[in-house]
Amino acid sequence: MSGATTGDSLSVETLYSEYHGWLHQVLRRRLGNADDAADLAHDAFIRLLTKPRYLSHHTARAYLSRMARGLCVDLWRRREIEQAWLDTLASHPEQETPSAEQQTAALEALMAVDAMLQRLPEPVADAFLQSMVHGLTGREIAQRLNVTERTVRNYLSKAMLACLRLQARLEGDTPAPPASDNLRGSS
């Protein structure tokens, strides 16, 4: 096969030519919108270019289906954040409305915080949100999560470290952490 790279692994070019139309249709059915489907199908193949995978005809559809589900979830999450931000802006008097640049920067920061929280182990993110958003004490969080207060302090320390890393990255002091710096599962 001319499109294969090694063994039965398909090149991105072959994957694109053979599966792009199919992936676009899967996304279109899931999203109900051809434009969003086209964008996400494009994003899927960009990801394959930047992070190649060894895929065969046997594994390509399953992998692309999983990727499509993840891209849809990311899109829906991003839209929820955007809508919450727009609702917040709408609730403020017009004279207090930030400039377009400030609004864009704030939305990008919100998305970065959401992505950071998604990378944290679930109990760490949960403890952080209960503390920062709901104002609960360490004892209250410990009771809700059925863990010790010391564990809650550890969770909050991990979350604060992630926040500091994110802040440094947003301020341009450090690059984004590598994928291997994922904290998920290290509670």
Side-chain angles (χ1 to χ4, degrees):
M1 169 180 291
S2 62
T5 55
T6 58
D8 65 347
S9 180
L10 303 173
S11 69
V12 175
E13 178 183 354
T14 300
L15 287 165
Y16 186 87
S17 67
E18 295 185 17
Y19 294 99
H20 180 268
W22 171 81
L23 181 62
H24 181 265
Q25 288 304 315
V26 167
L27 289 163
R28 187 175 182 178
R29 281 191 306 272
R30 186 167 286 155
L31 298 169
N33 179 309
D35 292 333
D36 288 340
D39 289 344
L40 293 188
H42 175 78
D43 290 349
F45 286 98
I46 293 294
R47 284 188 183 186
L48 284 174
L49 280 171
T50 58
K51 294 182 181 177
R53 299 279 189 255
Y54 295 102
L55 298 173
S56 66
H57 285 290
H58 180 69
T59 60
R61 282 189 183 221
Y63 182 79
L64 291 170
S65 290
R66 271 193 321 275
M67 185 187 290
R69 278 192 299 276
L71 290 169
C72 288
V73 168
D74 291 346
L75 175 68
W76 294 325
R77 181 178 290 121
R78 187 170 48 251
R79 290 202 173 144
E80 283 180 9
I81 292 169
E82 288 172 356
Q83 189 58 54
W85 174 241
L86 292 173
D87 293 347
T88 299
L89 287 176
S91 69
H92 289 299
E94 191 172 323
Q95 63 270 24
E96 292 180 16
T97 302
S99 69
E101 294 84 12
Q102 291 170 323
Q103 289 180 36
T104 299
L107 187 56
E108 287 174 2
L110 287 170
M111 301 241 190
V113 169
D114 178 63
M116 182 261 316
L117 288 171
Q118 292 299 316
R119 287 189 304 270
L120 290 173
E122 191 172 330
V124 173
D126 193 18
F128 178 75
L129 291 172
Q130 288 186 42
S131 174
M132 296 297 143
V133 176
H134 302 291
L136 299 181
T137 66
R139 176 174 285 163
E140 292 168 328
I141 297 168
Q143 289 171 344
R144 287 185 176 202
L145 297 180
N146 199 27
V147 296
T148 66
E149 285 184 61
R150 180 180 175 140
T151 299
V152 170
R153 285 192 301 274
N154 288 337
Y155 288 169
L156 294 177
S157 294
K158 286 180 183 183
M160 291 307 293
L161 177 59
C163 287
L164 290 171
R165 286 179 176 163
L166 175 61
Q167 180 182 8
R169 194 180 93 228
L170 291 175
E171 291 174 354
D173 296 341
T174 60
S180 63
D181 195 21
N182 187 338
L183 295 174
R184 217 11 114 202
S186 61
S187 51

